Amino acid sequence: MKLVPAVSLITIIEVVAILVGAFSGFVEARRKRMDIVGVFIVAFITAFGGGTVRDILLDKRPLFWVAHQEYTILLFVVALVAAPFVKQIRHIVSERLIVVADAIGLGLFAVASVAQALAADMPIFVAVMMGVVTGIFGGVLRDIICNEVPMVFRDGKPYAICAFFGCWFYIALQYTSVSDDVALWSSAALITVMRLIAWRFDLRLKAH
């Protein structure tokens, strides 16, 4: 198996994932008519919830958002700038926007976390499950805080399964000549596309 990607690449993916996760938190918080404090808290939990669970499971200290305070500062600034804008478009925000942001965050968080788990010498299956948990947990916390049944549990469409297959796809690419960059981005894209296809065509794991 090839070495896991460079830390710089993981950092880039993590930052993008944080921003996407925070955006879905912004939108959902505004749909619930929360004030700026509520918006920031929901965005914070969505953006950092999954990664926090990953770091706890990997016994990494300090937590990634504590070690990189710039992540928290970035989120704080974005919340201040974005909150008024999201408030203005609240009436046209649909579930579709949240689903798209959620799918992108799912893909990015999952592959970044499975890569970090492999770097920590976790067994392959454990690494995959860690990627899945990290990918879904921020959204679960967001929905709970917003008094909603978590999307992963209520719409019946493949969600965690998309992350599961995408993480295995990433591991499979480690045994090929594909570069780490391509392996990460293509695996994240696969997870995102699988989730969006399942949502768009109403593919379900259970009967209506």
Side-chain angles (χ1 to χ4, degrees):
M1 182 182 291
K2 296 181 295 186
L3 295 176
V4 294
V7 173
S8 58
L9 179 58
I10 293 294
T11 299
I12 292 171
I13 291 179
E14 203 161 55
V15 169
V16 176
I18 287 169
L19 292 175
V20 173
F23 176 75
S24 73
F26 292 150
V27 174
E28 186 63 24
R30 277 304 182 183
R31 287 181 63 191
K32 295 296 183 178
R33 299 180 180 274
M34 294 185 184
D35 60 17
I36 184 63
V37 175
V39 169
F40 176 75
I41 290 175
V42 174
F44 184 95
I45 289 172
T46 308
F48 298 134
T52 298
V53 171
R54 176 201 63 215
D55 286 355
I56 291 173
L57 293 175
L58 290 176
D59 198 25
K60 291 180 61 176
R61 297 294 187 278
L63 301 176
F64 77 107
W65 54 271
V66 176
H68 299 281
Q69 70 164 350
E70 59 271 20
Y71 291 175
T72 309
I73 294 172
L74 174 63
L75 183 58
F76 181 75
V77 172
V78 170
L80 290 177
V81 173
F85 173 72
V86 175
K87 183 178 181 180
Q88 294 300 319
I89 66 170
R90 183 177 61 201
H91 63 287
I92 64 173
V93 169
S94 65
E95 185 180 12
R96 177 180 301 179
L97 193 59
I98 296 178
V99 169
V100 172
D102 212 51
I104 296 172
L106 175 68
L108 293 172
F109 273 125
V111 296
S113 295
V114 71
Q116 291 184 52
L118 291 174
D121 295 323
M122 293 290 107
I124 291 179
F125 188 79
V126 172
V128 169
M129 296 309 298
M130 203 165 291
V132 174
V133 170
T134 304
I136 70 173
F137 205 73
V140 169
L141 291 176
R142 176 201 63 215
D143 292 344
I144 290 174
I145 293 297
C146 292
N147 199 30
E148 297 277 354
V149 177
M151 186 182 297
V152 66
F153 304 139
R154 63 182 154 89
D155 71 356
K157 305 179 185 76
Y159 188 90
I161 288 178
C162 297
F164 183 78
F165 281 112
C167 288
W168 278 112
F169 180 67
Y170 169 76
I171 289 175
L173 290 179
Q174 298 299 298
Y175 292 94
T176 71
S177 58
V178 171
S179 70
D180 292 328
D181 294 38
V182 173
L184 275 169
W185 291 114
S186 59
S187 300
L190 176 65
I191 294 171
T192 301
V193 170
M194 287 175 64
R195 170 58 182 166
L196 292 178
I197 288 175
W199 185 82
R200 173 64 179 81
F201 295 101
D202 198 27
L203 303 178
R204 293 180 179 269
L205 298 174
K206 62 181 179 180
H208 290 276

